[in-house]
């Protein structure tokens, strides 16, 4: 009996050891690329970049490249969030034939691992933006997709029986490229308002930089606010995509 019990114990130990050895080999390195990037303090050319790429169901028919990211990835709507909004904008632009990708690295995870304060979020998004520019050869338009924190009454507009989230462009006066970014933001704001009057609250200039010194072709868009719904955000994103198409194709 004692010999039998010893044998059973040894058999169980062998099974446990086998599982420990086997299971790690089943973990996909590609599925963890986003986590690897989020905790890598010094990304370089050899580091895989986690992006949500071109929707291959849409052919590329335009020669313009667009990059979208969310400096504040944790911003949420009513049952929706800015990351999903950015990806919906990508799909809308892909459907127009533009090559467009969305930053997929986990900024919030990176900040948590490295104890980076919320107020320093732009240092994290800048690091990954510069990496994307280096790896992808530049973009014709770069969009930092945010949401505002205002009341539903101020963040929403009704046009022809349809509810839209209002947008606002934010420009950093101290970026070093203020004139170019301000002009681009004003153009996109005006184009959007031609489609849905007053959907854009205009251009708000602040004494900051928002990483806009990196490129003349950058905009920061506040899309709706915390109380806007998925349907309102997506309706507005379609207007933004149309405005971008009119601008880049014009």
């Amino acid at each position: 009996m004692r010999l039998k019990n010893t044998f059973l114990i040894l058999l169980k130990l062998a099974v446990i050891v086998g599982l420990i050895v086997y299971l790690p080999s089943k973990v996909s390195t590609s599925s963890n690329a986003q986590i690897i990037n989020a905790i890598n303090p010094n990304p370089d050319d050899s580091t895989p970049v986690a992006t949500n790429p071109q929707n291959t169901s849409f052919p590329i028919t335009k020669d313009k490249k667009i990059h979208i990211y969310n400096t504040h990835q944790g911003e949420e709507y009513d049952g929706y969030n800015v990351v999903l909004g950015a990806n919906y904008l990508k799909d809308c632009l892909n459907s127009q034939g533009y090559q467009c990708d969305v930053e997929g690295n986990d900024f919030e995870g990176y900040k948590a691992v490295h104890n980076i304060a919320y107020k320093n979020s732009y240092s994290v998004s800048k690091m990954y933006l510069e990496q994307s520019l280096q790896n992808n050869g530049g973009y014709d338009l770069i969009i930092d997709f945010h949401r505002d924190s205002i009341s539903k009454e101020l963040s929403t507009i009704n046009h022809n029986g349809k509810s839209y989230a209002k947008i606002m462009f934010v420009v950093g006066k101290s970026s070093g490229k203020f004139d170019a970014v301000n002009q681009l933001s004003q153009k996109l704001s005006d184009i959007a308002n031609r489609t849905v009057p007053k959907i854009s609250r205009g251009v708000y200039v602040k004494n900051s930089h928002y990483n806009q010194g990196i490129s003349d072709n950058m905009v920061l868009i506040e899309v709706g606010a915390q109380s806007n719904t998925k349907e309102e955000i997506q309706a507005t994103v379609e207007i933004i995509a149309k405005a971008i198409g009119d601008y880049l194709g014009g």
Side-chain angles (χ1 to χ4, degrees), residues 155 157 164-168 189 192-202 235-237 239-240:
S155 70
I157 188 169
Y164 296 87
K166 288 186 177 182
I167 62 175
M168 182 175 71
S189 176
N193 278 335
R194 287 203 294 266
T195 303
V196 176
K198 298 184 179 180
I199 192 172
S200 176
R201 296 157 54 207
T236 294
V237 163
I239 301 301
I240 295 171

Side-chain angles (χ1 to χ4, degrees), residues 150-171:
I150 55 177
S151 69
K152 181 72 178 283
E153 181 181 3
L154 294 176
S155 70
T156 313
I157 188 169
N158 189 282
H159 178 69
N160 290 338
K162 189 171 185 177
S163 186
Y164 296 87
K166 288 186 177 182
I167 62 175
M168 182 175 71
F169 294 82
V170 181
V171 179

Side-chain angles (χ1 to χ4, degrees), residues 89-142:
L89 178 56
K90 172 186 73 72
D91 288 343
C92 290
L93 291 167
N94 287 163
S95 70
Q96 293 184 33
Y98 290 104
Q99 182 177 343
C100 181
D101 60 60
V102 175
E103 176 63 67
N105 284 292
D106 184 2
F107 296 175
E108 301 304 314
Y110 185 94
K111 286 187 290 186
V113 168
H114 296 281
N115 295 316
I116 297 174
Y118 181 84
K119 66 181 180 180
N120 295 321
S121 295
Y122 285 94
S123 65
V124 176
S125 62
K126 179 183 179 183
M127 177 178 67
Y128 284 111
L129 174 57
E130 289 178 335
Q131 183 183 7
S132 292
L133 287 167
Q134 182 177 1
N135 291 344
N136 295 291
Y139 294 94
D140 298 285
L141 182 63
I142 301 168

